[in-house]
Amino acid sequence: MMSSNSSNRPVWNQPESTYPQTGLKVFNSLTKSKVPFVPREGNNVSWYGCGPTVYDAAHMGHACSYVTFDIIRRIMEDYIGYDMSVVMNITDVDDKVILRARQKYLLKQYQDDASLSPEQVVGDVTAAFNEYVNKHFKDFVESRIGKKVATSEDWKEFVAAVDQGKDAAFVASDEKTPMHYNAASTAFWALSVARLHVSEGKARPDEMLTLTNSAEDVLSPWLDRQHGAEVTDQRIFRDLAAFWEKDFFEDMDALNVRRPHVLTRVSEFVDDIVRFVQRIIDNGYAYEVDGSVYFDVGAFDGKNDHFYAKLEPNSKGNSRLLADGEGSLTKEELNKRSLSDFALWKMSKPGEPRWPSPWGEGRPGWHIECSVMASEILGAQIDVHVGGIDLAFPHHDNELCQSEAHFENHQWVNYFMHAGHLNIEGLKMSKSLKNFITIKEALN
């Protein structure tokens, strides 16, 4: 047994077995050290891997992670000879999927609307552009030019004030600032051309399509804020997820990454999620507020020898990471008992998919999804859980605590293994930063 009496580190129990061991050691994120690998049941190894959130193309950062774990799996399965049970999930219910599906749908509806004149399209894109830059560059707009961007001249003045987007303080203000600046610049130049042609009476329908495609990152959020709540057809969300799931596995097959023995989708486990959440409530570790259910970190941490944030204890209370973990469609709930509490079940707002529950129509929180799918297939304790290091806190830490709260055990996962980031120009390659090279682009 390995343990620690430090208040900053949890106890980790070395699994024991009478079955002959191979001598394999693995770096366990739960101990931050190499430890002997001992399966719970003889030669059988249960393995759960975080799969993709299917709303866009997989990139080389994903390839790095999945190829890394495929190599480890092959060593364990083919060379050492473990009998592996490999489960991977598809996250097809998530804020990112919902938002992307709605925005793609609304943009297509807008582009197909034959009643829109070129003047109206230019006007709409202009309004979307101004809203976008004043939101994402708010502090710099106010401090550098002393007014909101409302005209082309205002934008040109702002561009000069931030040195064409190269100003050091501007670039360093947020990791997404360069992405937002590039989106705004692309939209502005397309808008400038369209305005000129409209003023000359030369605008063609295909030019309006070019404009709206070039300004997609600016126009889509604007359309969503106006009409997102009107999207009620749940097929819109399912179709987007199904398209990118198929695309993902095409990439994995091209990389010769072995498929999991069991593939799970969140949308197929909603009833199980509801039951899982109810057990956590019954055990005293969650509470309902206005149709949503939150995990009560304060009730869990330290009670019955439970420990919150086993993987990254120093990240407890990190407001930025906690907010990212809750999702872009989730507003901070004033009725939560603590900032650290997180959603197990979210009351669905207009324009979101929904399922029945004892707390009203809603949808699962992100973190609970993996806990339920892994546990339903592999049981109350898992040998190996793998995923990207960027998921360690809060996602994996929340998985651990809510699962241990459900089962009232202290070690839902015995070995946690993480793959590192693939960086590009000093930043993690990611969909949210739009700084990625897709797997198809790299292979072609």
Side-chain angles (χ1 to χ4, degrees), residues 144-147 151-162:
R144 297 295 175 90
I145 65 173
K147 58 186 175 183
T151 67
S152 296
E153 294 308 311
D154 293 342
W155 171 250
K156 292 176 183 178
E157 182 182 351
F158 177 73
V159 168
V162 295

Side-chain angles (χ1 to χ4, degrees), residues 63-322:
C64 183
S65 179
Y66 288 110
V67 168
T68 295
F69 290 125
D70 185 63
I71 292 170
I72 295 172
R73 173 187 174 180
R74 288 170 185 266
I75 291 170
M76 296 177 70
E77 202 165 35
D78 298 347
Y79 181 74
I80 298 177
Y82 288 118
D83 186 6
M84 307 280 286
S85 296
V86 178
V87 179
M88 189 183 79
N89 76 292
I90 295 291
T91 299
D92 61 349
V93 180
D94 177 78
D95 286 32
K96 293 175 181 177
V97 175
I98 296 167
L99 198 57
R100 181 62 59 84
R102 273 198 332 227
Q103 290 182 357
K104 287 287 187 183
Y105 171 77
L106 290 170
L107 181 64
K108 183 67 165 56
Q109 294 291 104
Y110 185 86
Q111 291 175 331
D112 289 346
D113 188 348
S115 69
L116 295 175
S117 67
E119 290 80 6
Q120 183 172 346
V121 173
V122 167
D124 288 344
V125 176
T126 299
F129 175 83
N130 292 341
E131 184 177 291
Y132 186 90
V133 299
N134 288 314
K135 172 186 176 182
H136 291 295
F137 311 134
K138 180 176 184 294
D139 293 340
F140 281 86
V141 167
E142 292 176 354
S143 64
R144 297 295 175 90
I145 65 173
K147 58 186 175 183
K148 288 186 176 181
V149 171
T151 67
S152 296
E153 294 308 311
D154 293 342
W155 171 250
K156 292 176 183 178
E157 182 182 351
F158 177 73
V159 168
V162 295
D163 191 20
Q164 285 72 46
K166 294 179 288 188
D167 180 89
F170 179 67
V171 172
S173 62
D174 188 280
E175 64 180 6
K176 293 186 178 181
T177 293
M179 176 191 73
H180 291 311
Y181 182 82
N182 289 336
S185 296
T186 300
F188 177 78
W189 290 114
L191 191 53
S192 299
V193 172
R195 280 179 182 147
L196 177 63
H197 288 177
V198 167
S199 68
E200 296 174 343
K202 298 178 180 178
R204 303 188 312 273
D206 62 310
E207 286 184 299
M208 295 302 101
L209 181 62
T210 298
L211 170 61
T212 53
N213 282 333
S214 297
E216 178 178 356
D217 292 340
V218 166
L219 181 60
S220 291
W222 186 81
L223 292 171
D224 187 67
R225 278 188 287 278
Q226 294 191 67
H227 303 292
E230 302 165 14
V231 178
T232 58
D233 187 348
Q234 300 216 27
R235 290 175 298 181
I236 292 167
F237 309 110
R238 291 197 300 269
D239 289 349
L240 179 92
F243 175 88
W244 288 116
E245 177 187 330
K246 179 177 180 292
D247 189 80
F248 170 79
F249 279 113
E250 288 174 357
D251 289 341
M252 292 300 104
D253 290 345
L255 292 169
N256 199 29
V257 170
R258 282 184 182 168
R259 295 205 177 195
H261 299 119
V262 179
L263 181 69
T264 63
R265 298 179 186 86
V266 175
S267 58
E268 298 169 356
F269 281 78
V270 176
D271 290 343
D272 303 289
I273 290 170
V274 169
R275 289 191 293 269
F276 200 96
V277 170
Q278 185 62 58
R279 173 68 68 84
I280 297 174
I281 294 174
D282 294 343
N283 288 347
Y285 299 116
Y287 57 93
E288 182 265 341
V289 176
D290 299 330
S292 295
V293 178
Y294 295 93
F295 189 85
D296 192 337
V297 171
F300 175 84
D301 198 13
K303 181 181 179 183
N304 297 332
D305 295 323
H306 288 306
F307 190 103
Y308 177 65
K310 287 182 174 182
L311 292 166
E312 298 291 340
N314 293 332
S315 293
K316 282 184 182 180
N318 185 313
S319 59
R320 182 183 66 81
L321 293 176
L322 290 167

Side-chain angles (χ1 to χ4, degrees), residues 322-361:
L322 290 167
D324 285 348
E326 289 298 85
S328 58
L329 292 176
T330 303
K331 303 298 182 183
E332 186 61 36
E333 290 286 349
L334 299 178
N335 292 329
K336 285 202 311 185
R337 296 175 185 174
S338 167
L339 174 68
S340 296
D341 295 351
F342 56 91
L344 301 175
W345 182 262
K346 300 179 179 182
M347 179 189 70
S348 288
K349 299 184 290 295
E352 297 180 0
R354 59 193 61 234
W355 288 266
S357 81
W359 320 288
E361 288 192 330

